[in-house]
């Protein structure tokens, strides 16, 4: 009996669409990792001053602005390749652009021209953000409504695996063959998405709805996705939740390394607990999140994840109060990553279900950008000052309090029926309905 329950829990993860989400996640991690982690190591090795190295982090703002050009991916047909389908054709073209930008960045030399390296990094940021637009839309449309939770979890697994492999492999290759070769070889990480597109083809859900959609002018192509979203009842409150639900978590996350350093943890201890324990705790959280979503339904699983993500900040208040404690560090990091793993599944599934299949790319680009933009602005401008003013213990207590409005708002939205009314066609067309309070019995 127990064996049967275990098989039932695992079976949804090995269906074709969730496995495709895993492959897409691996590829989506490649451009951002080459900018976020690898580029910083390369610039530091080249002797570039720290303020210039950190300024390159602004390149990832392209991921917050991607909604501005997502309508192009949604409405513009690629000549000749369009016969493969809108999503598949764009996936191939953007993958080629990402690889070209990565090679260009690899061939640039920051010691010769920092400006040229900066332009190459910006090109990779824009291409990578566009890659994200296509991959997110493709993932959502491949998955049936019943698979959105598991698919989100597999996408999270893929992203984490891809990020770890890209970061480590590029460093190993750079140490032996130089950075140019490392960037060229990294293009291999675009292959999982391309192979997925060849095997899975154009998503049926997207092909069916676009076949019924009349030709649109450029104004309607730009405005249509946003007009459709804001015509929904209570759309403004839904957007408010998207903006505020992660503020407390984002504020806290930015300061973890500062806390570890001030508590006197060594680099080895930080690497073991933050990277080692945290990584595995997150993977477990992702798996649990998929099970919770399948057994409890979207609304209850999202509420659980919001509460856990808020409470996880208290563990760092406890660590700050306890001082240098390896057990405390393992507990705090493990709990935080476990909660983030669950939230990464349930919230991504909810945000995916909000999209209309006519405008999946544009609407999800807007939603995913909105989930982090407010938190990034506030954390970048206030987190350090708040720590200096209140100290770590009170700061983490404050971030817990700041997270509560998102929990309360979602609870009210669920009770009032607002969550069900906000769901787009991606959450209801196909097998299953994300509005149902699912309870799978083993």
């Amino acid at each position: 009996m127990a064996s049967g329950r275990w098989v039932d829990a695992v079976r949804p993860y090995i269906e074709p669409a969730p496995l495709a989400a895993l492959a897409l996640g691996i590829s989506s991690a490649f451009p951002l990792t080459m900018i976020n982690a690898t580029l910083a190591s390369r610039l530091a090795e080249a002797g570039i001053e720290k303020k210039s190295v950190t300024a390159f982090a602004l390149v990832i703002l392209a991921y917050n602005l991607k909604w501005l050009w997502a309508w192009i991916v949604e409405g513009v047909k690629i000549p000749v390749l369009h016969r493969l389908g809108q999503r598949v054709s764009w996936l191939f073209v953007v993958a080629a652009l990402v690889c070209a930008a990565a090679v260009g960045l690899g061939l640039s030399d920051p010691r010769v021209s920092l400006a040229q390296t900066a332009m190459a990094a910006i090109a990779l940021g824009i291409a990578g953000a566009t890659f994200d637009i296509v991959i997110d839309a493709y993932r959502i449309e491949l998955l049936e409504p019943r698979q959105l939770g598991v698919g989100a979890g597999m996408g999270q697994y893929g992203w984490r695996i891809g990020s770890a492999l890209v970061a480590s492999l590029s460093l190993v290759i750079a140490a032996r063959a130089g950075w140019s070769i490392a960037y060229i070889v990294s293009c291999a990480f675009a292959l999982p998405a391309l192979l997925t597109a060849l095997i899975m083809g154009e998503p049926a859900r997207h092909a069916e709805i676009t076949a019924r959609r009349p030709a649109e002018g450029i104004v309607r192509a730009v405005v249509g996705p946003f007009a459709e979203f804001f015509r929904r009842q209570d759309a403004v409150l839904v957007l408010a939740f998207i903006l505020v639900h992660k503020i407390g978590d984002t504020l806290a996350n930015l300061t973890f390394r500062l806390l570890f350093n001030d508590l006197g943890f060594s680099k080895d201890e930080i690497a073991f607990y933050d990277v080692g324990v945290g990584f595995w705790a997150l993977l477990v959280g992702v798996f649990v999140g998929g099970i919770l979503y399948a057994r409890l339904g979207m609304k209850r699983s999202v509420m659980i994840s919001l509460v856990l993500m808020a409470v996880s900040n208290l563990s760092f208040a406890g660590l700050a109060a306890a001082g240098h404690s390896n057990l405390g560090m393992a507990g705090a990091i493990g709990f935080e990553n476990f909660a983030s793993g669950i939230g990464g599944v349930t919230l991504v599934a909810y945000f995916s279900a909000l999209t209309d299949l006519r405008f999946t790319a544009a609407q999800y680009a807007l939603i995913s950008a909105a989930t982090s933009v407010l938190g990034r602005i506030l954390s970048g401008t206030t987190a350090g000052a708040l720590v200096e003013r209140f100290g770590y213990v009170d700061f983490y207590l404050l971030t817990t309090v700041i997270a509560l409005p998102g929990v309360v708002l979602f609870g009210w939205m669920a009770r009032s029926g607002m969550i069900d009314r906000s769901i787009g066609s991606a959450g209801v067309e196909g097998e299953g309905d994300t509005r149902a309070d699912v309870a799978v019995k083993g």
Side-chain angles (χ1 to χ4, degrees):
M1 188 72 173
S3 176
R5 286 197 296 268
W6 185 87
V7 171
D8 289 340
V10 172
R11 185 177 293 116
Y13 288 88
I14 57 176
E15 294 178 339
L19 288 175
L22 175 71
L24 293 169
I26 292 172
S27 290
S28 70
F30 140 57
L32 189 58
T33 304
M34 296 304 289
I35 296 169
N36 242 3
T38 307
L39 183 58
S41 298
R42 183 186 180 193
L43 293 172
E45 184 181 293
I48 306 301
E49 56 186 357
K50 287 183 175 60
K51 64 180 182 180
S52 296
V53 173
T54 55
F56 271 79
L58 294 173
V59 171
I60 65 173
L61 284 176
Y63 284 79
N64 290 111
L65 300 174
K66 60 187 179 182
W67 56 274
L68 291 172
W69 65 87
W71 64 271
I72 299 174
V73 171
E74 198 75 79
V76 175
K77 296 182 179 180
I78 305 293
V80 182
L81 285 178
H82 180 69
R83 288 177 293 182
L84 298 173
Q86 182 76 358
R87 295 294 179 236
V88 173
S89 59
W90 268 99
L91 193 60
F92 274 87
V93 169
V94 179
L97 293 175
V98 167
C99 290
V103 171
L105 184 56
L107 295 178
S108 68
D109 189 341
R111 290 168 294 190
V112 175
S113 174
L114 190 59
Q116 182 182 352
T117 302
M119 292 301 295
I122 291 170
L124 182 56
I126 295 173
T130 309
F131 203 34
D132 251 22
I133 294 170
V134 184
I135 283 177
D136 285 334
Y138 191 50
R139 170 183 56 79
I140 293 168
E141 291 161 357
L142 280 177
L143 298 164
E144 299 288 345
R146 68 175 178 83
Q147 297 174 315
L148 286 175
V150 170
M154 292 294 272
Q156 293 283 316
Y157 276 139
W159 202 97
R160 294 289 173 174
I161 293 168
S163 180
L165 289 175
V166 170
S168 56
L169 186 62
S170 60
L171 288 174
V172 170
I173 293 174
R176 289 159 176 78
W179 283 109
S180 296
I181 300 299
Y183 275 78
I184 292 171
V185 172
S186 72
C187 293
F189 284 92
L191 289 176
L194 297 180
L195 291 174
T196 297
L198 287 173
I199 294 169
M200 301 295 292
E202 187 75 358
R205 295 208 299 166
H206 184 256
E208 290 170 4
I209 204 160
T210 52
R212 304 193 301 265
R213 189 171 68 185
E216 299 175 334
I218 188 170
V219 174
R220 182 167 175 76
V222 175
V223 176
F226 309 111
E228 191 282 329
F229 182 84
F230 286 105
R231 276 198 299 266
R232 300 181 199 175
Q233 188 176 356
D234 306 314
V236 173
L237 284 174
V238 173
L239 182 60
F241 168 75
I242 293 170
L243 287 168
V244 306
H245 80 282
K246 206 175 179 181
I247 293 178
D249 200 51
T250 305
L251 273 170
N253 279 332
L254 188 67
T255 64
F256 291 161
R257 289 297 176 93
L258 297 176
L259 172 67
F260 301 156
N261 287 329
D262 286 347
L263 291 181
F265 287 100
S266 67
K267 290 182 175 63
D268 288 342
E269 288 173 326
I270 294 173
F272 178 77
Y273 292 107
D274 193 14
V275 180
V277 174
F279 178 78
W280 290 106
L282 186 135
L283 294 187
V284 172
V286 168
F287 184 76
V288 171
I291 294 174
L292 288 176
Y293 187 91
R295 290 181 177 274
L296 302 180
M298 181 184 66
K299 294 186 285 290
R300 285 184 287 177
S301 63
V302 169
M303 176 58 75
I304 290 171
S305 68
L306 290 172
V307 172
L308 288 175
M309 289 166 67
V311 173
S312 69
N313 291 346
L314 292 177
S315 62
F316 286 94
L319 176 61
H324 189 127
S325 166
N326 288 343
L327 182 61
M329 188 178 189
I333 289 174
F335 184 25
E336 198 278 332
N337 279 274
F338 177 74
S340 294
I342 294 175
V345 172
T346 60
L347 286 162
V348 168
Y350 170 48
F351 296 149
S352 299
L354 287 174
T355 61
D356 186 297
L357 289 171
R358 294 171 296 173
F359 313 109
T360 318
Q363 288 184 346
Y364 194 80
L366 173 66
I367 292 168
S368 61
T371 59
S372 60
V373 64
L374 190 57
R376 282 180 179 170
I377 292 172
L378 289 177
S379 61
T381 56
T382 64
L386 289 172
V387 169
E388 290 179 353
R389 180 173 180 182
F390 297 113
Y392 284 111
V393 174
D394 289 343
F395 170 76
Y396 291 120
L397 293 176
L398 176 64
T399 61
T400 303
V401 173
I402 292 173
L404 295 180
V407 179
V408 174
L409 178 57
F410 187 84
W412 175 60
M413 290 165 61
R415 286 193 300 273
S416 66
M418 197 182 305
I419 298 297
D420 290 342
R421 294 194 297 269
S422 70
I423 298 300
S425 58
V428 298
E429 290 200 10
E431 188 177 342
D433 188 331
T434 57
R435 297 170 299 186
D437 290 325
V438 182
V440 179
K441 299 187 184 208

